[in-house]
Amino acid sequence: MPQVVVGVGGGLGGLGVLHRAAVEARLRRVELCAVLAWQAPDGGPGSRTSCGAPVLALCRSAAAHRLREVLGTAFGAGAPDLTVTGLTVRGTAGAALVDVARDPDDLLVVGSGPRGPLRRLLRPSVARYVLAHAACPVLTVPPSPLQAEYEAVHRRNSWRLPLDARELA
């Protein structure tokens, strides 16, 4: 059965992507599946170190709690004209989204996000991965221009700590 699959992470830009996915699900009259990918602190299932079952259960529980928070923030008590399901998947975001959206009739919605050179180096692009590997159509949602304004104001108004400890005296 076709669905609209959207990745959620809880960031400010993610709410816009989630709402756009909800619009697409309503238009298509299909279920909205919100996916939150999580990884264990040990680096993954094939890692040499293992954090153990209790830590994995705690991470899974934290991811489920975060997903409930995000959906609660986005939709409140619920969207009466939309069926929303949440799914937590252990793994990287791109691989998790591609795995959930297997049907060619699905629609996968991801945010394109701001991609400066440093950010590209430190974090691979989920949108780029999804575009290269998805078996279904992909809708990329650009960041809101209001988000850039919000971040600029936040940077201007953030506290600046003195670099020299003598200035503290």
Side-chain angles (χ1 to χ4, degrees):
M1 182 159 161
Q3 61 184 346
V4 173
V5 177
V6 61
V8 296
L12 186 59
L15 287 176
V17 175
L18 185 55
H19 280 279
R20 178 56 196 259
V23 168
E24 292 295 328
R26 282 186 188 101
L27 289 172
R28 297 163 191 268
R29 294 187 174 107
V30 296
E31 181 177 284
L32 175 65
C33 180
V35 178
L36 188 137
W38 63 277
Q39 291 183 310
D42 66 358
S47 175
R48 289 180 192 229
T49 61
S50 178
C51 57
V55 174
L56 287 178
L58 185 64
C59 291
R60 185 178 299 111
S61 174
H65 177 74
R66 183 67 187 139
L67 180 59
R68 281 190 298 275
E69 276 183 341
V70 170
L71 293 176
T73 300
F75 301 117
D81 58 342
L82 181 64
T83 303
V84 180
T85 60
L87 181 64
T88 58
V89 178
R90 183 178 178 191
T92 61
L97 291 169
V98 168
D99 188 47
V100 172
R102 287 186 219 125
D103 191 321
D105 293 328
D106 289 346
L107 175 67
L108 188 47
V109 182
V110 293
S112 61
R115 302 302 300 171
L118 181 61
R119 190 157 173 113
R120 274 194 303 266
L121 181 67
L122 297 175
R123 269 201 200 169
S125 169
V126 172
R128 187 171 295 186
Y129 181 91
V130 165
L131 284 167
H133 296 91
C136 64
V138 177
L139 173 63
T140 58
V141 180
S144 167
L146 296 175
Q147 183 178 351
E149 287 181 36
Y150 169 80
E151 290 170 355
V153 168
H154 181 67
R155 277 192 301 272
R156 255 191 318 244
N157 295 331
S158 62
W159 289 87
R160 306 252 186 237
L161 295 177
L163 295 177
D164 190 352
R166 290 175 288 185
E167 294 177 23
L168 294 173

